[in-house]
């Protein structure tokens, strides 16, 4: 049975009144009383006019309400009946709407299963890289979206991931593992490459710092070794000079007046300034052992006056007792 369309016929009546004349009279009266000052003589007239105004106002208001009630009776009856009929529409609407929603959900569920089949066929060994949830598009569930379109988009997504992985492999970076982890998380090849480059740069900086430290340590050890060798050479040189002087002093015979006058011990030291070196060396070291007190040998030595002070200092530092004539 076909639904009968609703038809409503409303015969609107008219209301006759003299509100326009009433309005004019009220305005005139108000205008008149705006310039009037109530006095003892006019107070009674004012009270009467006020009573008349209130009476007319109440009368008009009652008439308005009465007319409204009369006009509203047929509308209220129609409204009540219309609401009863409107309620009758709700039952079939709910039944059909529920069935339509169930049908649509079943259709979408079937489409989701088809999408899963297409995904499984395309994923290969890349499922962990690109789960279906990451690329799922709810528009695939629409009845207007074809399986071909869904397959193309899924295969395109997997192709992009595979190319990105191959790109990272081809870079042969020691940080490929870290780059792949970033790619898997972000699906961004650029982010993965930047991660690998950043780690490489950090490592190079660390290695450079370590290399500089090793070089500085090597220079420090070489400098310390050089100083030790120079110190050893200096000590050896001083020791040789001290030994030579000791040998010279110990090899002199006991004094005889004529021999000492003929062959002074330091006669060979008169010509060059190098003759000062033994004395200077002796005054710069603290490692010379004092001579033994026994046996004592008296030696008479002739020294040039310009060497006298250096020679005396040498004798004092080496605990050699001397007397001047």
């Amino acid at each position: 049975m076909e639904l009968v369309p609703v038809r409503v016929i409303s015969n609107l009546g008219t209301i006759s009144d003299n509100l326009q004349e009433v309005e004019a009279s009220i305005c005139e009266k108000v205008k008149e009383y705006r310039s009037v000052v109530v006095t003892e003589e006019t107070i009674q007239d004012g009270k009467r006019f006020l009573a008349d105004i209130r009476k007319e106002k109440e009368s008009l208001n009652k008439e308005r309400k009465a007319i409204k009630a009369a006009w509203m009776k047929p509308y209220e009856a129609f409204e009540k009946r219309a609401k009863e009929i409107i309620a009758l529409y709700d039952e079939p609407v709910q039944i059909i709407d529920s069935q339509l929603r169930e049908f649509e959900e079943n259709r979408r569920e079937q489409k989701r299963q088809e999408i899963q089949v297409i995904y499984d066929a395309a994923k290969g060994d890349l499922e962990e890289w690109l789960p279906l949830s990451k690329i799922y598009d709810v528009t695939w569930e629409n009845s207007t979206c074809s399986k071909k379109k869904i397959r193309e988009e899924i295969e395109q997504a997997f192709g992009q991931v595979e190319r990105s992985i191959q790109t990272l492999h081809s870079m042969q970076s020691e940080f490929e593992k870290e780059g792949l982890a970033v790619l898997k998380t972000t699906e961004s090849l650029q982010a993965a490459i930047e991660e690998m480059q950043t780690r490489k740069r950090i490592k190079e900086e660390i290695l450079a710092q370590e290399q500089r430290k090793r070089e500085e340590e090597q220079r420090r050890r070489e400098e310390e070794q050089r100083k030790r060798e120079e110190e050893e050479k200096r000590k050896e040189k001083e020791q040789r000079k001290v030994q030579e002087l000791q040998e010279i002093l110990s090899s002199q015979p006991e004094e005889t007046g004529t021999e000492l006058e003929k062959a002074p011990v330091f006669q060979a030291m008169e010509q060059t300034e190098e003759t000062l070196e033994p004395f200077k060396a002796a005054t710069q070291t603290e490692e010379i052992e004092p001579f033994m007190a026994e046996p004592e040998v008296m030696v008479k030595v002739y020294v040039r006056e310009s060497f006298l002070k250096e020679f005396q200092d040498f004798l004092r530092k080496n605990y050699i007792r001397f007397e001047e004539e």
Side-chain angles (χ1 to χ4, degrees):
M1 180 178 176
E2 298 273 338
L3 288 175
V4 177
V6 177
R7 291 192 303 270
V8 178
I9 300 174
S10 176
N11 295 319
L12 300 178
T14 59
I15 300 174
S16 300
D17 62 70
N18 65 337
L19 292 180
Q20 187 171 358
E21 296 176 7
V22 172
E23 179 184 12
S25 66
I26 293 173
C27 291
E28 185 66 29
K29 206 64 175 176
V30 170
K31 182 178 179 182
E32 177 184 340
Y33 271 88
R34 281 176 180 170
S35 60
V36 173
V37 177
V38 177
T39 63
E40 193 69 32
E41 291 78 11
T42 62
I43 188 171
Q44 292 303 323
D45 293 338
K47 289 181 178 180
R48 283 193 298 271
F49 177 73
L50 181 59
D52 292 342
I53 287 291
R54 286 175 175 170
K55 181 180 179 181
E56 291 298 327
K57 174 184 175 182
E58 183 64 23
S59 176
L60 178 58
N61 199 33
K62 285 181 179 180
E63 191 67 24
R64 178 188 64 80
K65 291 179 179 179
I67 292 174
K68 179 180 179 181
W71 279 66
M72 288 298 293
K73 282 181 181 181
Y75 170 76
E76 289 172 354
F78 168 76
E79 182 183 39
K80 180 180 178 181
R81 184 60 177 156
K83 287 182 177 180
E84 292 174 354
I85 301 302
I86 290 172
L88 294 177
Y89 288 114
D90 290 340
E91 184 177 358
V93 167
Q94 292 174 359
I95 293 173
I96 300 302
D97 184 63
S98 175
Q99 292 181 7
L100 289 176
R101 285 199 303 268
E102 183 179 357
F103 175 82
E104 178 64 15
E105 180 58 32
N106 291 335
R107 188 195 63 77
R108 285 183 175 273
E109 178 59 28
Q110 183 178 355
K111 197 67 174 287
R112 285 192 286 268
Q113 293 176 4
E114 293 174 354
I115 293 170
Q116 184 66 52
V117 171
I118 295 172
Y119 172 84
D120 292 339
K123 67 183 181 181
D125 57 354
L126 297 176
E127 181 176 7
E128 64 174 326
W129 288 87
L130 197 64
L132 178 58
S133 58
K134 279 192 174 183
I135 60 174
Y136 198 90
D137 188 346
V138 292
T139 62
W140 292 346
E141 299 178 5
N142 295 338
S143 58
T144 56
C145 187
S146 66
K147 294 181 181 180
K148 179 181 179 182
K149 183 176 185 297
I150 297 172
R151 185 180 298 105
E152 289 175 351
E153 292 184 2
I154 291 177
E155 290 177 350
Q156 182 180 4
F158 276 115
Q160 180 63 43
V161 170
E162 188 172 8
R163 287 190 295 273
S164 297
I165 294 174
Q166 292 175 353
T167 299
L168 296 183
H169 286 329
S170 66
M171 295 177 68
Q172 298 182 347
S173 170
E174 61 180 310
F175 301 108
E176 178 182 309
K177 181 179 178 180
E178 290 78 3
L180 291 173
V182 172
L183 177 64
K184 183 181 293 186
T185 303
T186 65
E187 303 176 27
S188 172
L189 176 61
Q190 182 63 30
I193 293 175
E194 289 177 357
E195 176 70 15
M196 293 163 58
Q197 291 175 341
T198 299
R199 289 179 176 270
K200 178 182 178 182
R201 183 171 62 254
I202 292 174
K203 180 179 180 180
E204 290 174 349
E205 292 174 356
I206 293 174
L207 292 176
Q209 291 177 358
E210 292 176 351
Q211 180 62 24
R212 288 194 294 271
K213 288 181 180 179
R214 287 194 296 270
E215 292 174 354
E216 291 174 359
E217 180 64 20
Q218 180 64 24
R219 286 194 294 269
R220 184 187 63 79
R221 289 196 297 266
E222 292 175 354
E223 180 65 17
E224 290 178 353
Q225 179 64 24
R226 185 187 64 78
K227 290 181 179 179
R228 285 195 296 268
E229 292 175 356
E230 290 181 353
E231 181 65 15
E232 291 175 358
K233 290 179 181 179
R234 185 186 65 78
K235 289 181 179 180
E236 290 176 0
K237 184 177 180 181
E238 290 181 353
Q239 187 64 29
R240 285 196 302 270
K241 290 181 179 180
V242 171
Q243 290 176 354
E244 290 174 359
L245 182 58
Q246 289 176 344
E247 290 173 359
I248 292 173
L249 293 176
S250 62
S251 65
Q252 300 299 317
E254 293 186 3
E255 64 172 325
T256 59
T258 56
E259 289 178 351
L260 290 174
E261 292 175 357
K262 293 178 180 179
V265 175
F266 285 84
Q267 184 174 2
M269 302 169 62
E270 295 179 0
Q271 300 301 321
T272 67
E273 199 166 306
E274 292 179 356
T275 54
L276 289 175
E277 289 300 324
F279 305 113
K280 292 180 180 179
T283 59
Q284 293 173 356
T285 180
E286 298 294 336
E287 299 180 2
I288 301 177
E289 296 289 336
F291 293 115
M292 298 297 295
E294 292 183 357
E296 288 189 350
V297 178
M298 180 179 291
V299 179
K300 190 170 185 178
V301 180
Y302 293 89
V303 182
R304 292 173 59 87
E305 186 176 357
S306 59
F307 300 148
L308 179 60
K309 186 176 184 308
E310 289 83 352
F311 184 63
Q312 290 174 341
D313 291 340
F314 168 78
L315 295 178
R316 291 190 187 96
K317 287 186 177 294
N318 289 276
Y319 307 99
I320 301 174
R321 184 164 56 84
F322 65 91
E323 297 178 359
E324 293 185 58
E325 292 185 356

